Amino acid sequence: MSSLREKMNRLKGIKPADAEDQAAASPASADLPEKQPVQEPSASEAAAGGLASAGPEWDRHGVKLVANEAGDCLERRITLPLSHRSGHHFLSEWAGTAGQLGAFHPEAGEAPHAENVLFLDLETTGLGAGTGNVPFMMGLAYFEDGAFILRQFLIRHPAEERAMLQELLLLLPRFRWLGTYNGRSFDWPLVQSRFIMNGFRGTPELLHLDFLHPSRSIWKNTLVSCKLSHVEEERLGIFRTDDVPGSLAPALYFHYLAEGDPDVLEGVFRHNEQDMVTLACLGIRFGHLLAGAIGERMPMPEENEERLRTGLWLEKMGRTADAERLFAMVEASEEPAPSAWHSLAMRAKKTGNWDRAVVLWQKAAACMRTALIPNVDAHVELAMFYEHKRKDVHSALAYAEEAIGLFACRPHAYRSAKERAGQEALLKRRDRLRRKCGGGGGRHAGG
């Protein structure tokens, strides 16, 4: 029987010899953290839980047949102990951090607890939100009775979708919170549309914990990508081996539909399983962050940009003291990024601390004088401050003139329509300031 790797290579058009070369070039599994053993339900447990055999070809993958009033579908159920470690975190940390995630929805007046958060991750036939996009695998996970329960539902054909959705409906009343990664924009709206298309009405609404948004807020400028697989490697210490990329899941599912061989889907099950474990680890990570455990239960960011972005997110979530600690570290640094100075200045401006804002803008402006691709935002803010707050039109004019000069140094390829509009606004500001200074309003050629 062909291995999963061989099947994937055939789909990619890789010859056996090429595959051997790829395997030799990949990092050795001994260098990666070992995965803890999982416990799958025994035959008696499966029967007690309403599961039956779906045939020997499915049994070897731990997949059973589940029946409900809406029909049949397949389920793979795994129980992970709280001692299970994935990357930097143990699942046992969830109980002490879940409550901190109430900061995601302060208006709710309540916080999650360990057993009322449902994690959701879909594998679909496409990436769009249209009616032709069908979730063929639905991963659900939750903490219960001192363990992490993963339940993966699979449909063998479209007629089984209603039974899969029925299983989700049976679970939803037990939970108040929903944990996803981009689920607010993709997974949950898709589930809701499938509920409607299958005739289900009045489905309960959960409070959403979408971990994509804080990931982007904190890491968008320090990681090359905020894809879940990249975030887990760079910040959670999770390294997958022989992983099936999510982008290949639709092709593998269609391959299964064509051949009827469950072995084709083994890697999709494993990928979805790790996605849900990663969701729990991300929840733990953000819970530690909101609890003020940065530098203790989780490492202090090394880059000033990440310190700044972490502080801005913490401030948004109401953790002002922790945010101030990070801001102070950025300001005390010898070489922070100019964007950090400007961002801190804008924050000071919002709080009315103009003296602090001006000092920070001046530092950002000084950095721009030697930048290869200068940004003039700090100059513009200083020009506005001196014109309107200090009534010092000469200083305002000096910053406006310098900003126009820096614009001229920017390569044309980096001048967007927005920046060109900003340049026009600066020219008008300079002309107005010149008139106030008594110097006339004519433009210099090439300004």
Side-chain angles (χ1 to χ4, degrees), residues 122-128 133-137 186-187 190 246 249-251 253:
L122 302 178
E123 306 299 335
T124 63
T125 57
L127 298 177
N133 190 18
V134 178
F136 65 85
M137 182 181 293
F186 182 76
D187 298 73
L190 181 58
Y253 181 63

Side-chain angles (χ1 to χ4, degrees), residues 172-207:
L172 283 179
R174 296 168 49 184
F175 302 96
R176 176 64 172 145
W177 300 78
L178 182 70
T180 68
Y181 200 79
N182 197 33
R184 181 177 292 177
S185 300
F186 182 76
D187 298 73
W188 190 242
L190 181 58
V191 167
Q192 290 177 311
S193 69
R194 304 311 300 181
F195 275 142
I196 293 172
M197 292 192 68
N198 282 274
F200 293 108
R201 297 291 186 272
T203 55
E205 281 292 332
L206 305 183
L207 295 169

Side-chain angles (χ1 to χ4, degrees), residues 126-443:
L127 298 177
T131 56
N133 190 18
V134 178
F136 65 85
M137 182 181 293
M138 181 173 63
L140 303 172
Y142 48 89
F143 287 84
E144 181 181 69
D145 297 332
F148 189 53
I149 313 299
L150 298 101
R151 301 177 65 183
Q152 298 170 287
F153 295 95
L154 175 76
I155 60 173
R156 294 167 293 182
H157 48 77
E160 292 187 335
E161 182 186 17
R162 184 174 170 80
M164 180 176 70
L165 293 172
Q166 177 69 28
E167 289 297 311
L168 174 58
L169 277 178
L170 293 173
L171 270 176
L172 283 179
R174 296 168 49 184
F175 302 96
R176 176 64 172 145
W177 300 78
L178 182 70
T180 68
Y181 200 79
N182 197 33
R184 181 177 292 177
S185 300
F186 182 76
D187 298 73
W188 190 242
L190 181 58
V191 167
Q192 290 177 311
S193 69
R194 304 311 300 181
F195 275 142
I196 293 172
M197 292 192 68
N198 282 274
F200 293 108
R201 297 291 186 272
T203 55
E205 281 292 332
L206 305 183
L207 295 169
H208 214 124
L209 302 171
D210 190 336
F211 298 132
L212 173 64
H213 301 293
S215 296
R216 282 180 174 166
S217 296
I218 295 173
W219 298 311
K220 65 179 180 180
N221 293 338
T222 47
L223 297 183
V224 297
S225 169
C226 282
K227 289 178 61 177
L228 184 62
S229 58
H230 193 71
V231 168
E232 70 180 12
E233 284 190 10
E234 295 293 328
R235 292 298 179 266
L236 299 179
I238 298 172
F239 299 90
R240 307 190 191 198
T241 57
D242 294 332
D243 182 55
V244 172
S247 59
L248 266 184
L252 289 170
Y253 181 63
F254 289 127
H255 191 50
Y256 156 73
L257 293 179
E259 290 192 359
D261 182 4
D263 291 351
V264 172
L265 296 176
E266 178 187 356
V268 182
F269 277 112
R270 300 296 179 186
H271 174 86
N272 181 264
E273 172 192 333
Q274 182 59 59
D275 277 355
M276 289 188 288
V277 174
T278 296
L279 283 176
C281 291
L282 264 181
I284 290 168
R285 172 80 175 221
F286 291 125
H288 281 319
L289 191 54
L290 291 166
I294 189 168
E296 299 173 7
R297 301 299 299 273
M298 55 180 293
M300 177 67 68
E302 296 179 359
E303 300 179 44
N304 279 315
E305 179 67 19
E306 186 169 335
R307 290 175 182 172
L308 170 68
R309 294 294 164 191
T310 303
L312 292 172
W313 182 74
L314 285 171
E315 186 175 54
K316 179 181 177 182
M317 303 298 281
R319 304 302 195 262
T320 306
D322 294 320
E324 285 289 355
R325 182 160 65 102
L326 290 167
F327 296 148
M329 293 179 68
V330 175
E331 291 192 38
S333 175
E334 294 182 0
E335 295 182 357
S339 60
W341 291 131
H342 180 63
S343 296
L344 288 173
M346 294 303 292
R347 177 181 170 275
K349 175 184 176 180
K350 289 180 180 178
T351 60
N353 191 342
W354 288 100
D355 291 340
R356 186 182 185 188
V358 169
V359 170
L360 294 168
W361 278 323
Q362 287 172 338
K363 290 182 178 181
C367 292
M368 287 298 109
R369 290 170 188 141
T370 56
L372 292 175
I373 305 174
N375 181 295
V376 300
D377 290 343
H379 287 78
V380 173
E381 291 292 338
L382 285 166
M384 291 192 295
F385 170 78
Y386 280 106
E387 179 182 5
H388 301 297
K389 289 289 182 180
R390 289 281 175 85
K391 308 301 180 183
D392 181 352
V393 292
H394 293 282
S395 294
L397 177 59
Y399 280 111
E401 295 274 16
E402 186 174 18
I404 291 170
L406 290 173
F407 253 126
C409 297
R410 289 178 64 86
H412 284 277
Y414 290 91
R415 299 184 189 181
S416 64
K418 181 180 178 180
E419 287 180 323
R420 289 193 293 272
Q423 185 179 25
E424 280 297 314
L426 258 178
L427 291 169
K428 292 178 181 178
R429 181 179 299 279
R430 181 199 62 182
D431 292 347
R432 183 179 69 251
L433 290 168
R434 282 181 174 178
R435 289 193 296 271
K436 286 184 177 182
C437 291
R443 298 189 179 188

